[in-house]
Amino acid sequence: MAHKQEKANAIDLLTYGPRLRKNALILHYTWFVVSTVYWGLSLSTSALPGGSPYINLMLSGVAEIGSILFCLAFMNRIGRKFCVTFGMICSGVCCIVAAYIPVNQGYNWLIQIIVYIGKSGSSISFCTVFNYSVELFPTVARNAGIGFSSMCARIGGVITPFISLLGEYFDNVVPMTIFGVMALSAGLLDLMLPETANRPIPDTLEEAENYARQDKEYYANGSQRESEDILKLDTRNSSETDNDQVL
């Protein structure tokens, strides 16, 4: 069994093992998508059909406050994975539905409501993905993992205005459809991630690699203690290997 590493970088997250690589890639993509969709919906709020752009922007802010309160109340109860996945899928469905509702035909109010719900979903994912990533990345590479994910989010924020401009050169449904497909794909991929709520976080690359296996046993046994015992066993085995190498 591999010995503990004192430090690691973002490359190690992608090369150490298949489970850790899968988790890291999905998290990087989730950060990229959640930033793109969040800012895409935020920038398009004032341009919603019907109503005052100022009122629309205010209502968007109210929806975001509700999302934050939702995370504070339920993130520990229903889990990080559910919050991120639910937020992304909800946002994706709302974006696609809102894109194909006829404008200025008596359904403007419906478009606004659906967009606000989608904005709430993206806000829930944005609030939760920070905690989720911190608990999934191992301690030895946590800063590197969060830093790379944050870079992916910044890239998403940069390309958002260009996606929004596609509506002026093509059909108006193109930007919202792109946001919707991206959000749905991220939400479905997040289903492959392990849950981290009320569980010990991994310290080493090895523990992070085994986190998916621990997640299956955690739910199979329905006990947090089972998951903790597995993590402690891996840590003890790693310590014994370190002592053997010193001797």
Side-chain angles (χ1 to χ4, degrees):
M1 190 171 292
H3 66 281
K4 287 188 176 181
Q5 292 187 356
E6 295 182 358
K7 60 181 179 179
N9 53 46
I11 301 299
D12 294 325
L13 294 174
L14 302 177
T15 59
Y16 184 83
R19 295 191 186 98
L20 181 57
R21 178 168 55 250
K22 178 200 68 177
N23 292 346
L25 289 175
I26 292 176
L27 284 175
H28 296 335
Y29 180 68
T30 299
W31 278 68
F32 169 76
V33 171
V34 74
S35 177
T36 303
V37 175
Y38 173 85
W39 289 114
L41 292 177
S42 298
L43 294 175
S44 63
T45 299
S46 59
L48 288 174
S52 168
Y54 305 104
I55 298 298
N56 292 341
L57 186 61
M58 182 194 71
L59 293 176
S60 176
V62 171
E64 186 166 351
I65 293 174
S67 302
I68 296 174
L69 296 177
F70 175 87
C71 291
L72 291 175
F74 296 105
M75 187 170 63
N76 289 330
R77 298 181 182 180
I78 61 180
R80 285 81 159 121
K81 178 179 178 178
F82 178 85
C83 289
V84 174
T85 303
F86 170 78
M88 283 283 88
I89 293 178
C90 174
S91 181
V93 171
C94 289
C95 287
I96 294 176
V97 171
Y100 292 92
I101 296 179
V103 179
N104 298 326
Q105 294 187 18
Y107 299 107
N108 291 344
W109 60 272
L110 182 58
I111 296 176
Q112 294 180 16
I113 292 176
I114 293 176
V115 170
Y116 295 146
I117 295 175
K119 176 67 179 300
S120 297
S122 65
S123 298
I124 291 173
S125 296
F126 219 150
C127 291
T128 311
V129 75
F130 283 89
N131 293 72
Y132 198 22
S133 301
V134 166
E135 294 171 351
L136 269 181
F137 287 127
T139 302
V140 294
R142 187 163 294 125
N143 288 339
I146 296 297
F148 193 87
S149 295
S150 181
M151 183 191 72
C152 294
R154 302 292 83 78
I155 295 174
V158 168
I159 70 172
T160 297
F162 299 99
I163 296 177
S164 300
L165 285 174
L166 293 176
E168 299 182 6
Y169 295 95
F170 301 98
D171 196 284
N172 290 330
V173 304
V174 172
M176 293 295 282
T177 301
I178 293 176
F179 293 144
V181 171
M182 292 176 64
L184 282 176
S185 64
L188 294 176
L189 286 173
D190 289 334
L191 291 172
M192 301 171 62
L193 295 175
E195 179 57 72
T196 61
N198 302 316
R199 296 182 59 195
I201 61 176
D203 289 325
T204 66
L205 294 174
E206 180 182 6
E207 291 175 1
E209 173 68 15
N210 293 329
Y211 213 68
R213 175 177 64 84
Q214 297 163 12
D215 188 62
K216 293 180 182 179
E217 299 203 13
Y218 176 81
Y219 287 109
N221 293 280
S223 171
Q224 175 185 348
R225 183 175 302 175
E226 290 290 336
S227 179
E228 292 177 346
D229 290 342
I230 295 172
L231 188 58
K232 291 177 181 178
L233 178 61
D234 289 340
T235 303
R236 184 164 58 252
N237 290 337
S238 297
S239 299
E240 293 174 356
T241 303
D242 289 341
N243 294 334
D244 293 340
Q245 290 179 350
V246 172
L247 296 176

